[in-house]
Amino acid sequence: MMSGLEMGIVGFVILLTLLLVRIHISIAMFLAACGLYAYLGQGDLNTLMYTLNGLAYARLSNYDLAVVPLFILMGQLASHGGMSKALFQAASHFIGHWRGGLAMSAVGSCAAFGAICGSSLATAATMGQVAIPELKKHHYSGKLSTATLAAGGTLGILIPPSVPLIIYAVLTQESIGKLFMAAIVPGLLALLGYILVIKILVSLRPEAGPTSQKVPFLKALQSQIKVLPIFIVFIVVIISIYGGWANPTEAASIGALACGVISWLSGGLNWRGVINSILQTAISSAMIFMVLIGADLLNSALALTQMPAQLAQWVVEQQFAPLFVLFCILVIYLFLGCVMDSLAMILLTIPIFYPIILGLDFFGLSPQDKTIWFGIVALMVVEIGLITPPVGMNLFIINKMDSTTPLLSTSKWVLPFIASDLLRIGLVACVPSIALWLVHLF
């Protein structure tokens, strides 16, 4: 009979093997869990069926997770309503005349759209459709354009509201509002880091990001006023959650309704757009809940093997330096990013890594502060997986929109953005107050 740790390792090997042969992550986790249950029950799958029945009901009836489809609907209505184009125009009219200014505008608009979308892939896809034609029109390098939008898309996972951050909050039973507040400063640092990278790249290669004509002040001001309601929606949603005026589900409902009304009044949203938004929300939500149920089943199987508890106990007994353990976890996340999407990584690893983090002392942090800080650090590492060559999902999405730029060229130019990410992760990991400052302030 194998030990719990050995069974857990075998389960992960099965999972990774299934992923390598392109089995969907939810099905792969389900099959790996079935294998563990079959081994533990010596072929009797009654326990598996009872567990699956209970887990599916518990997950789908969880009120906290109702916020997920609502935030997805909020992003869909904003996308179909043309808000992405308005955001890009507002940013480009403000700084587009700088060298590399349009690329910086693309990053800024990705951050703004991520604040009403909550998904990195959706942010990259939507802003890519808007920004790539404009960047080409102004003779920007295809390599700089695609790398910028692939990296900028990752801001959707960090700038609140973030779907993976909501899932992390549910898994760790932490406040969604506090995690949203904690993500704001690291998100702004990510935005500033990407803008600095673009500045350095266009300084070294001036032809990659040429200057463009300055927009008249009145026209620039009009474009800023046009997007003001979008920022008001974001502020109302975040403040209402953290201020206790509304729970996350209520705030997301308000945000979705507000985005729909704004898009409709601006003339960008029609009935077809509303129907498409609802359909896309249903499809995305179904996919997320399938992954959730698959992860729940696998994690319940791992819990029966006692692998998470044994692993946490083993790490504590070895008396490793806490930062060394954190470094090892972050490296594992980087490797997993090559074969998994961000949501799957969060669902699969948090039940294993979270007990380890809680069992160690990091800078004298309380358990709650540790939970919030680790969630932000983990999320920042997970976002790198979206642009890690050669399999980053954002790279493929942007490359499909600009077939004239080879994927290899985009991968090379995205490396400076990854370097900026790693520097920011190291900073937040070593100085937790960067993530916790706003939480403590309010």
Side-chain angles (χ1 to χ4, degrees):
M1 185 74 175
M2 290 187 290
S3 67
L5 192 57
E6 291 171 339
M7 282 188 284
I9 292 172
V10 170
F12 270 100
V13 170
I14 294 172
L15 173 64
L16 293 175
T17 303
L18 292 171
L19 291 175
L20 288 174
V21 296
R22 303 183 68 81
I23 301 295
H24 190 272
I25 180 66
S26 60
I27 305 301
M29 289 191 287
F30 176 80
L31 293 175
C34 287
L36 288 174
Y37 268 102
Y39 180 80
L40 291 168
Q42 297 180 347
D44 182 8
L45 295 180
N46 287 330
T47 304
L48 169 65
M49 300 309 295
Y50 284 121
T51 303
L52 181 58
N53 180 57
L55 287 175
Y57 177 79
R59 183 57 70 195
L60 294 174
S61 62
N62 189 331
Y63 177 76
D64 291 338
L65 285 175
V67 71
V68 173
L70 288 169
F71 275 131
I72 294 174
L73 178 61
M74 183 174 161
Q76 287 293 331
L77 291 170
S79 176
H80 285 92
M83 288 188 183
S84 53
K85 185 175 182 180
L87 288 167
F88 180 70
Q89 286 180 341
S92 61
H93 288 173
F94 187 60
I95 60 172
H97 58 282
W98 298 354
R99 182 172 297 281
L102 282 180
M104 298 177 189
S105 301
V107 170
S109 55
C110 281
F113 190 75
I116 52 176
C117 176
S119 167
S120 289
L121 299 180
T123 299
T126 304
M127 295 312 306
Q129 291 174 348
V130 173
I132 285 178
E134 288 296 316
L135 291 166
K136 281 187 173 181
K137 180 181 175 181
H138 289 83
H139 309 293
Y140 271 65
S141 161
K143 295 176 288 188
L144 175 63
S145 302
T146 52
T148 296
L149 285 162
T154 64
L155 296 173
I157 198 178
L158 188 58
I159 301 289
S162 162
V163 172
L165 203 57
I166 294 169
I167 301 301
Y168 175 85
V170 172
L171 290 175
T172 58
Q173 298 182 342
E174 187 51 75
S175 164
I176 294 175
K178 289 182 179 180
L179 282 161
F180 279 1
M181 291 296 288
I184 290 176
V185 173
L188 292 175
L189 286 177
L191 171 62
L192 294 174
Y194 288 170
I195 290 175
L196 180 60
V197 167
I198 295 170
K199 177 66 176 175
I200 294 172
L201 290 175
V202 297
S203 297
L204 298 174
R205 300 280 186 88
E207 73 282 359
T211 57
S212 57
Q213 188 175 0
K214 189 174 183 178
V215 175
F217 175 75
L218 186 59
K219 186 177 180 181
L221 182 61
Q222 288 174 341
S223 66
Q224 308 306 313
I225 294 174
K226 190 175 180 180
V227 299
L228 187 59
I230 302 173
F231 290 100
I232 293 175
V233 170
F234 167 73
I235 292 171
V236 168
V237 168
I238 297 301
I239 291 181
S240 62
I241 292 174
Y242 196 77
W245 306 334
N247 63 42
T249 304
E250 293 166 345
S253 302
I254 295 169
L257 177 62
C259 279
V261 171
I262 292 169
S263 300
W264 187 276
L265 293 177
S266 66
L269 186 67
N270 53 30
W271 282 114
R272 177 174 291 183
V274 173
I275 293 171
N276 286 337
S277 297
I278 294 172
L279 288 174
Q280 289 300 317
T281 299
I283 293 170
S284 299
S285 299
M287 180 197 70
I288 289 172
F289 278 89
M290 277 293 292
V291 175
L292 278 167
I293 293 171
D296 283 343
L297 190 63
L298 180 57
N299 288 327
S300 70
L302 292 174
L304 286 177
T305 67
Q306 298 186 335
M307 177 216 177
Q310 289 181 10
L311 183 60
Q313 183 180 359
W314 180 82
V315 171
V316 172
E317 289 175 351
Q318 301 309 305
Q319 296 185 334
F320 293 128
L323 284 179
F324 173 76
V325 175
L326 179 65
F327 173 78
C328 292
I329 290 174
L330 300 186
V331 170
I332 291 172
Y333 272 128
L334 290 176
F335 280 108
L336 288 178
C338 295
V339 293
M340 291 185 188
D341 60 42
S342 54
L343 182 61
M345 278 193 280
I346 292 292
L347 286 167
L348 192 62
T349 60
I350 292 305
I352 297 171
F353 293 154
Y354 180 61
I356 296 174
I357 294 297
L358 282 187
L360 298 172
D361 178 31
F362 290 94
F363 311 105
L365 295 175
S366 67
Q368 185 183 55
D369 281 351
K370 223 184 306 186
T371 301
I372 296 171
W373 164 72
F374 176 66
I376 301 302
V377 173
L379 201 69
M380 290 192 296
V381 181
V382 164
E383 81 181 57
I384 295 182
L386 295 168
I387 55 174
T388 304
V391 292
M393 289 299 296
N394 278 13
L395 297 179
F396 285 111
I397 288 174
I398 296 299
N399 186 253
K400 286 182 179 179
M401 297 181 185
D402 184 10
S403 56
T404 59
T405 303
L407 181 61
L408 181 60
S409 298
T410 303
S411 299
K412 288 180 179 178
W413 277 64
V414 86
L415 292 177
F417 293 96
I418 294 177
S420 171
D421 285 335
L422 293 174
L423 182 62
R424 171 169 41 90
I425 290 166
L427 186 62
V428 176
C430 294
V431 188
S433 57
I434 294 174
L436 299 172
W437 175 64
L438 277 180
V439 179
H440 291 167
L441 181 65
F442 291 102

